[in-house]
Structure formats: structure tokens, C-alpha cells
Amino acid sequence: MSLNQKIINLLTICTRAGKTVIGFDAVCAELKLKKVFCVLLASDISPKTKKEIDFYCEKAGVNALMTPIEKEEYGKYLGKQAAVIAVCDKGFADKFRSIVSQEEILK
């Protein structure tokens, strides 16, 4: 199974469980409330948005994980395009971190 497919499969389960928040403003609001365990970033995120989300994540002590998936592909599975997705569950966040770190090792 490809890395993209692993991420999409887990994201689909996570979203069905109601543990994701989609979109920059909504993610920033959740980060301020300390309800986020990691943030997924689309591969085609704008540099400005990435810089801003990195700032908010650092302030909240949360990992921002760059994924190989583009906004449009996230849109197919989430119902709307998204460059920033918050994961609001520790178990799901740990699994996303392990999947993305596997990809880092393979590079």
C-alpha cells in the first residue's frame, strides 16, 4: 500500500470519528484551545500559509507534518479542499507521525 493511501485511509477513519478540523482558521482556533495533537499539511501549501501554521503549531507545541498529498486530493476524501488539517486525537496523531516518519526514512 502506498504512503498516500495509508495517510488517506487513516484520515478517512479519523474524519468519520469526528477527530479532524479542516481549514486554516478552524485549525488555528483549535490550536489556541490546545485540542490539537498534530497538523497535516498538503504538499502544495503556500509558503505564507506554511509559515503561519508553523508559528501557531510551535506556539502550541504541536507537530506540523508535511504530507505528499495535494490539496485537491484531500478534497476528494474530505468534501472540500484543504491545505491544513488538524488531528484532535492523540492515538490518530501518533499513527500519522509514524506513517510520515516512515516516508522520511525512505527518502
Side-chain angles (χ1 to χ4, degrees), residues 64-97:
L65 308 173
M66 184 61 77
T67 68
I69 300 168
E70 294 184 353
K71 292 182 276 193
E72 193 173 310
E73 192 174 346
Y74 276 133
K76 287 182 205 171
Y77 299 97
L78 298 173
K80 68 177 183 177
Q81 285 191 16
V84 182
I85 303 162
V87 177
C88 303
D89 178 89
K90 187 180 183 322
F92 283 120
D94 290 345
K95 187 65 179 163
F96 279 115
R97 275 192 286 274

Side-chain angles (χ1 to χ4, degrees), residues 37-48:
F37 291 91
C38 81
V39 175
L40 305 177
L41 304 175
S43 61
D44 57 346
I45 189 171
S46 77
K48 180 182 182 288

Side-chain angles (χ1 to χ4, degrees), residues 3-15:
L3 176 73
N4 284 23
Q5 197 57 55
K6 285 181 183 178
I7 293 170
I8 291 298
N9 288 351
L10 186 59
L11 185 61
T12 303
I13 294 166
C14 188
T15 302

